[in-house]
Amino acid sequence: MERRIAHLTGIRRQQRQQLIQPLTAYFEIYDEADDDAVVEKRWRLWERPEQSGAVLLSSVFHFEGANDADEAGAIAAAQASIQQVIHYGLDTWNYHVLPAGATTFNFALRHPDAAVREPDDSVSLGLSNPPRASAAAAQAAIRETIEHLYTHYSAEGFHLVEHILLRPQRGPDTDPTAPEPYPGDALLARPSANPDTASEIDPYSYQVSLIFPSGYARDFSPAASNPEARSPVPPHRFRDRELRRHVERIVQQSCPAHLRPLIYWVDRHVSEQSLPFPEPIPETATDISFEQFEAIYFAWLNTQLLPGVAAEAAIAARNQMILAMNALSAAPPPL
């Protein structure tokens, strides 16, 4: 079912994996080596983690901050350029094969808007180096770069949760002499469509949830000054309302008739640094970021798939997963 939904919605990711990768996993921002005292940064995209393998793409220009010593500003400018590369680097028509010599070729990634490229139409977001021996080799390198960016930075995909796997398996301890009585497993709580009951009587049977990143980010930190402000982030396609309707229709058509699918579009967090993951979910949580959900989801999934997991660890992971699902149910619907 997951592969069918992915295929029919244009999601090229065919395996279950973490959708959100930190920029530093494959991108490196480094100092430009020159003789002046100005802080200047460049970036490059590596083939493998920890800055290893081949360099697939690198910045054409260096980036500076508001003044000569503004390192944070230079890094922010480089990060903004990387976000443009992630945005436009997923489409083959934004790449151009260029002659690098008499018999060699490389390729450039360009912004699709000609107005942005003015006054010099040759200005590129990124450039491949070293040159390839033929135009065909350069085209193959373009396909490799697109696949690399899509796999690690498109954020396109979803996570599926079978509710029956979250059913309670242990009640509260009844031994009054226990030093720390166990209060019992956390319970799924979904708002009920029946006005006579606050929550569904059975939120476990014949139900699955599909959690998609929304294509927006906002500040989930407790000290957020404007927690409702949203900014566009990958996956950029998922902000389109028509695409969302198509996805929801495909999910309905792809699910077996006995299953009720629930779909969530969840915002990402605005920063990779300001909110630690995974972070325990309190029982009163009414909102959760996609990154936090994803961390909890894979921690729980590992207890389901890996043999020999300690019972206490499995219980803790399941309880956190239930609280995360409850937070999704309690969160306001996306715009």
Side-chain angles (χ1 to χ4, degrees), residues 153-311:
Y153 290 109
S154 72
E156 290 196 359
F158 59 91
H159 298 312
L160 185 143
V161 180
E162 299 178 60
H163 289 205
I164 195 66
L165 297 177
L166 300 176
R167 66 194 183 281
Q169 300 182 22
R170 180 181 172 187
D173 288 339
T174 57
D175 183 2
T177 63
E180 294 184 12
Y182 182 68
D185 288 351
L187 302 176
L188 273 180
R190 277 194 48 78
S192 174
N194 186 345
D196 297 330
T197 57
S199 58
E200 290 186 1
I201 297 174
D202 180 10
Y204 303 99
S205 302
Y206 309 113
Q207 297 187 51
V208 294
S209 285
L210 294 89
I211 295 87
F212 293 81
S214 68
Y216 290 99
R218 52 192 171 93
D219 193 348
F220 284 84
S221 58
S225 59
N226 188 3
E228 301 303 320
R230 305 167 90 203
S231 56
V233 294
H236 296 287
R237 284 199 312 142
F238 286 11
R239 291 192 298 275
D240 185 87
R241 292 180 182 272
E242 186 59 37
L243 176 71
R244 289 193 185 188
R245 284 192 289 268
H246 172 69
V247 169
E248 291 166 2
R249 184 167 58 250
I250 291 298
V251 169
Q252 294 284 350
Q253 294 172 353
S254 300
C255 271
H258 68 284
L259 287 181
R260 174 194 177 195
L262 305 169
I263 301 172
Y264 298 94
W265 299 94
V266 183
D267 291 345
R268 293 173 56 180
H269 185 53
V270 292
S271 171
E272 295 178 2
Q273 287 79 32
S274 62
L275 193 62
F277 304 111
E279 184 179 82
I281 298 290
E283 293 187 15
T284 56
T286 58
D287 206 359
I288 186 173
S289 71
F290 188 86
E291 287 91 340
Q292 194 168 8
F293 173 84
E294 188 171 65
I296 292 170
Y297 172 77
F298 278 104
W300 166 74
L301 193 64
N302 287 339
T303 68
Q304 301 295 304
L305 301 178
L306 301 179
V309 176

Side-chain angles (χ1 to χ4, degrees), residues 81-124:
S81 174
I82 290 173
Q83 291 297 340
Q84 283 196 315
V85 169
I86 293 172
H87 190 172
Y88 300 113
L90 304 180
D91 299 317
T92 185
W93 50 82
N94 292 328
Y95 291 87
H96 302 266
V97 175
L98 307 171
T103 59
T104 57
F105 299 84
N106 58 16
F107 64 86
L109 171 63
R110 294 181 180 172
H111 196 289
D113 189 347
V116 175
R117 300 196 303 265
E118 291 179 353
D120 183 357
D121 189 59
S122 66
V123 171
S124 302

Side-chain angles (χ1 to χ4, degrees), residues 43 57-60 81 85 107-110 123-128:
W43 59 259
L57 206 62
S58 56
S59 57
V60 180
S81 174
V85 169
F107 64 86
L109 171 63
R110 294 181 180 172
V123 171
S124 302
L125 296 173
L127 187 66
S128 165

Side-chain angles (χ1 to χ4, degrees), residues 18 20-29 44-52 82 86 148 152-153 272-273:
Q18 187 170 323
I20 309 301
Q21 290 277 1
L23 287 183
T24 53
Y26 293 92
F27 280 98
E28 177 194 8
I29 297 176
R44 52 193 167 205
L45 173 64
W46 289 91
E47 179 185 18
R48 292 194 288 271
E50 299 181 357
Q51 302 168 14
S52 60
I82 290 173
I86 293 172
H148 187 74
H152 300 295
Y153 290 109
E272 295 178 2
Q273 287 79 32

